[in-house]
């Protein structure tokens, strides 16, 4: 079982990495799939151990109102924007390979440092979502948004971790538009959780050493 300190540090690393990924992901008509693609997919090539990699693809039904703005296809992520009035959520989805003795349920967010906004089982694993206030990395302010992760078993002690990070942009967290996007009973959270529960994966372990 993770200690609260270990869980907090893991979340901090995830949030920092997600913020960097969102900030550098510039929409490109040359490389991004169509925003009307009903089932966007992206590639997976992640290190598991010094001798193995996790490879494959991930896809899920694009939720209504989620406009794809970058990634997908041969890229290792897909990025969306969800707009409500003057506010928007930048949504970044990617897959990480993980070699661990922890069960799927022990890997997913469980609300140690933020409110639990949903959790459950899914084919091959478990999922969990936290928010709407997330701890920023060192030197960074707290982040308003949602972070969800699904741990999906590929082999014994080998998992793919589907991570979906949604960060608020363009408005103050106290506005009505922001509240609509981050509502614990709202559509956006239901859509994010549904993506974690139903995402289709084709993953395999490849020896590289």
């Amino acid at each position: 079982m993770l200690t609260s300190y270990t869980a907090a540090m893991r979340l901090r690393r995830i949030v920092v990495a997600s913020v960097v990924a969102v900030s550098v992901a510039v929409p490109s008509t040359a490389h991004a799939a169509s925003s009307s693609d009903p089932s966007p997919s992206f590639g997976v090539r992640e290190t598991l151990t010094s001798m193995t990699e996790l490879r494959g693809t991930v896809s899920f039904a694009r939720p209504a109102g989620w406009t794809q703005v970058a990634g997908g296809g041969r890229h290792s992520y897909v990025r969306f924007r969800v707009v409500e009035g003057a506010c928007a959520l930048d949504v970044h989805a990617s897959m990480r390979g993980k070699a661990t003795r922890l069960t799927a349920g022990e890997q997913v967010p469980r609300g140690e440092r933020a409110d639990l906004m949903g959790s459950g089982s899914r084919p091959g694993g478990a999922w969990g979502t936290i928010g709407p206030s997330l701890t920023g990395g060192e030197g960074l302010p707290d982040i308003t948004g949602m972070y969800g992760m699904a741990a999906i078993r590929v082999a014994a002690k080998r998992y793919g971790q589907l991570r979906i990070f949604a960060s608020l942009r363009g408005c103050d967290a106290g506005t009505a538009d922001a509240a609509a996007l981050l509502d614990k009973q709202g559509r956006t959270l239901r859509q994010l959780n549904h993506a974690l529960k139903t995402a289709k994966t084709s993953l395999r372990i490849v020896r590289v050493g």
Side-chain angles (χ1 to χ4, degrees):
M1 186 69 67
L2 293 174
T3 65
S4 294
Y5 175 78
T6 303
M9 292 305 295
R10 184 179 68 177
L11 176 59
R12 172 171 289 190
R13 289 193 297 270
I14 291 169
V15 169
V16 172
S18 300
V19 170
V20 171
V22 168
S23 65
V24 301
V26 178
S28 170
T29 56
H31 299 297
S34 168
S35 62
S36 62
D37 185 350
S39 299
S41 64
F42 59 91
V44 178
R45 186 167 183 169
E46 284 285 313
T47 298
L48 277 171
T49 68
S50 60
M51 304 288 286
T52 59
E53 288 183 348
L54 181 66
R55 297 183 187 177
T57 59
V58 179
S59 66
F60 54 86
R62 182 176 61 85
W66 291 33
T67 301
Q68 186 175 339
V69 295
R74 64 183 176 83
H75 295 273
S76 60
Y77 69 94
V78 63
R79 182 183 166 208
F80 305 91
R81 180 159 294 143
V82 186
V83 177
E84 180 72 35
C87 295
L89 282 175
D90 280 339
V91 183
H92 188 274
S94 63
M95 176 73 77
R96 179 174 68 171
K98 185 69 174 179
T100 178
R101 295 178 180 273
L102 297 176
T103 67
E106 290 171 337
Q107 294 174 55
V108 302
R110 288 171 290 164
E112 291 96 340
R113 294 289 175 176
D115 292 343
L116 185 65
M117 302 180 80
S119 64
S121 61
R122 57 150 291 140
W127 64 275
T129 302
I130 56 175
S133 180
L134 304 172
T135 303
E138 187 172 344
L140 293 173
D142 287 353
I143 299 160
T144 299
M146 297 177 284
Y147 169 68
M149 191 261 275
I152 304 162
R153 186 180 185 275
V154 182
K157 303 175 186 177
R158 302 293 185 265
Y159 291 84
Q161 294 180 340
L162 172 60
R163 302 176 296 171
I164 303 180
F165 180 77
S167 57
L168 188 68
R169 295 285 185 268
C171 66
D172 185 81
T175 64
D177 289 339
L181 285 172
L182 299 170
D183 187 350
K184 293 181 181 179
Q185 306 298 323
R187 184 179 75 163
T188 305
L189 176 60
R190 292 196 303 271
Q191 292 172 328
L192 189 154
N193 288 344
H194 184 72
L196 293 170
K197 289 185 286 186
T198 62
K200 297 180 180 180
T201 61
S202 177
L203 302 171
R204 66 191 187 279
I205 298 172
V206 177
R207 189 176 180 85
V208 295

